[in-house]
Amino acid sequence: MTNKRIEISLTNIVLLVILPLLLILLWQLRSLIVVLMIAVVISATLVPIVNTTQKVGMPRFLAVLIVYAGLIATLTGFGLIVGPTVVEQIQRLIRKLPVYLETLQSLLSDLILRFGMRDTGASNIINQLLDVQGLTSWAIRSSQQLVVRSFSVTKGIIGSVLSAILALLLSAYMVSASKQLLEDIINLFPAPWNKRLAAQIKPVGKRMGGYIQGRILVSAILGIVISVSLRFLGLSELALGLGVIAGFTNLIPFFGPVLGAIPALIVATSLGGLTVVWVLLLFVIVQNLETYLLDPLLVGSSVKVPPLYQLLAVLGGAQVLGIIGALIVPPWIAGLGVLLENLYVKPKLIAEGHQDLDNQQLTINN
């Protein structure tokens, strides 16, 4: 019987001590980590625009300054021109939400009686499902939970504004000094991983930036189309606010289009007639337009994120970071997918392919 000696080296002791301390440090710095994640997404989105601007012969820092100034001017102009109307319409929607739900409840109860379902059990089920106070409080509570998760990372509204400014500044620095910054990070890894990682910078940035650029452009187009269409369908009083809600929620894969359609359908129900049918048809057409035309054209196949991974990214991001997580985690998953594909999957398949070829050649020679 042999006695096995367990050797504990100084390196192992140092790792056992440092690793828990590092995890604690990362937890304490989680707000900064989220800001860095947002900054990376912003920089990946704007790098192609900066590169295009730089091609005219101007220095990179000047190209970064022009692009970011244009971005801030666009957002500010949009907020000043459209913002007050959107805020006023959304506030009006929230105030009238109980009335809209009561109208929907009455409509469904009338439909039950019209189809001869006079059983009080069916009416009670409808009344419970469409309990005005319950649904209103649930919607407000769910929205607050998502917002609170987002604010808990940044310590309130003021912290969120400061974090947004910090993320914008960090992204500007990343874009302007991206080459040197990435070289410094890559040099921390030993050979040959430094060269392998250096080769992945461009495809990772392209996939993350392409994902966000496509989602923003598609959501903007759909928001405009929905706003204009709702105005023609008789919802002019809230058309702009409903279109902005639909466009913003469309940034979230899978659940966004459904969430954006619910407020418009509730408002359309209160108008009676065939309005709700036309509004429902509008969102069905818009969803198919996005799925079969806009997404393949503007987002393209370069993202290559399986739907299951996108769904898990949205659910996990929303669970941990609220609305912020639902928006920024999917592009990170897209970028990490590049690393997994190029650093593990493809080499593994190539190695297995070479092994199969060697075995086949060995069989032939024998």
Side-chain angles (χ1 to χ4, degrees):
M1 183 174 181
T2 59
N3 295 327
K4 294 183 178 180
R5 297 179 58 189
I6 300 176
E7 296 183 0
I8 300 178
S9 64
L10 179 61
T11 304
N12 294 333
I13 295 176
V14 172
L15 289 176
L16 290 175
V17 174
I18 291 179
L19 185 59
L21 295 177
L22 181 61
L23 293 176
I24 295 174
L25 179 62
L26 291 176
W27 175 256
Q28 295 296 326
L29 296 176
R30 62 189 184 278
S31 301
L32 179 60
I33 293 174
V34 173
V35 171
L36 287 174
M37 290 176 64
I38 297 173
V40 170
V41 171
I42 296 175
S43 61
T45 306
L46 296 181
V47 159
I49 304 175
V50 172
N51 292 339
T52 303
T53 307
Q54 192 181 5
K55 288 180 180 179
V56 300
M58 64 178 62
R60 187 167 183 83
F61 78 92
L62 184 58
V64 172
L65 184 62
I66 292 174
V67 170
Y68 274 78
L71 174 65
I72 295 173
T74 301
L75 294 176
T76 304
F78 179 83
L80 293 176
I81 296 173
V82 183
T85 304
V86 172
V87 171
E88 189 272 333
Q89 290 188 6
I90 293 177
Q91 289 177 344
R92 189 186 310 167
L93 173 64
I94 294 174
R95 289 195 303 266
K96 292 184 176 182
L97 182 59
V99 178
Y100 295 144
L101 291 177
E102 288 180 356
T103 304
L104 179 59
Q105 186 180 28
S106 300
L107 177 62
L108 291 179
S109 298
D110 292 340
L111 287 176
I112 290 175
L113 295 176
R114 183 176 301 178
F115 285 100
M117 299 173 59
R118 300 183 180 274
D119 183 12
T120 57
S123 299
N124 291 333
I125 292 175
I126 294 297
N127 292 333
Q128 291 176 3
L129 291 176
L130 294 178
D131 178 35
V132 176
Q133 294 181 350
L135 282 176
T136 304
S137 61
W138 173 82
I140 295 174
R141 185 170 61 252
S142 300
S143 302
Q144 287 176 344
Q145 287 177 354
L146 287 175
V147 175
V148 165
R149 284 197 187 100
S150 301
F151 284 167
S152 64
V153 180
T154 53
K155 309 301 182 184
I157 298 178
I158 297 178
S160 298
V161 174
L162 294 177
S163 297
I165 296 174
L166 179 59
L168 200 62
L169 294 175
L170 286 174
S171 67
Y173 173 76
M174 291 178 182
V175 174
S176 60
S178 58
K179 185 176 181 180
Q180 184 61 43
L181 181 63
L182 292 172
E183 286 180 358
D184 293 339
I185 295 175
I186 289 172
N187 289 333
L188 297 175
F189 293 87
W193 284 101
N194 54 351
K195 294 182 179 179
R196 294 177 182 175
L197 290 174
Q200 305 308 316
I201 292 176
K202 188 174 181 179
V204 168
K206 182 179 180 181
R207 189 170 294 190
M208 292 182 68
Y211 182 93
I212 292 295
Q213 291 169 5
R215 296 305 305 174
I216 291 176
L217 189 55
V218 169
S219 298
I221 293 173
L222 295 185
I224 294 173
V225 170
I226 291 172
S227 295
V228 175
S229 301
L230 290 178
R231 183 176 294 274
F232 282 105
L233 293 177
L235 281 72
S236 57
E237 185 181 11
L238 300 171
L240 185 58
L242 293 173
V244 170
I245 292 174
F248 179 78
T249 57
N250 194 77
L251 292 171
I252 305 174
F254 296 100
F255 304 104
V258 178
L259 294 176
I262 291 175
L265 291 173
I266 293 175
V267 174
T269 303
S270 65
L271 299 179
L274 295 176
T275 304
V276 66
V277 177
W278 288 113
V279 172
L280 178 61
L281 183 61
L282 167 66
F283 277 93
V284 170
I285 293 174
V286 166
Q287 180 59 33
N288 282 274
L289 179 67
E290 176 188 3
T291 303
Y292 297 107
L293 180 62
L294 295 180
D295 272 350
L297 183 64
L298 300 178
V299 179
S301 59
S302 60
V303 175
K304 296 181 181 178
V305 181
L308 177 60
Y309 295 164
Q310 292 189 45
L311 178 60
L312 293 176
V314 172
L315 293 176
Q319 182 68 27
V320 177
L321 301 175
I323 297 175
I324 294 177
L327 295 176
I328 68 170
V329 172
W332 271 91
I333 295 298
L336 292 175
V338 177
L339 296 180
L340 180 63
E341 179 183 349
N342 293 340
L343 297 181
Y344 175 72
V345 176
K346 286 184 178 179
K348 176 178 177 293
L349 294 177
I350 292 175
E352 292 175 350
H354 283 314
Q355 185 176 3
D356 293 337
L357 290 176
D358 292 340
N359 292 335
Q360 290 176 4
Q361 179 141 12
L362 182 61
T363 303
I364 294 174
N365 293 333
N366 291 336

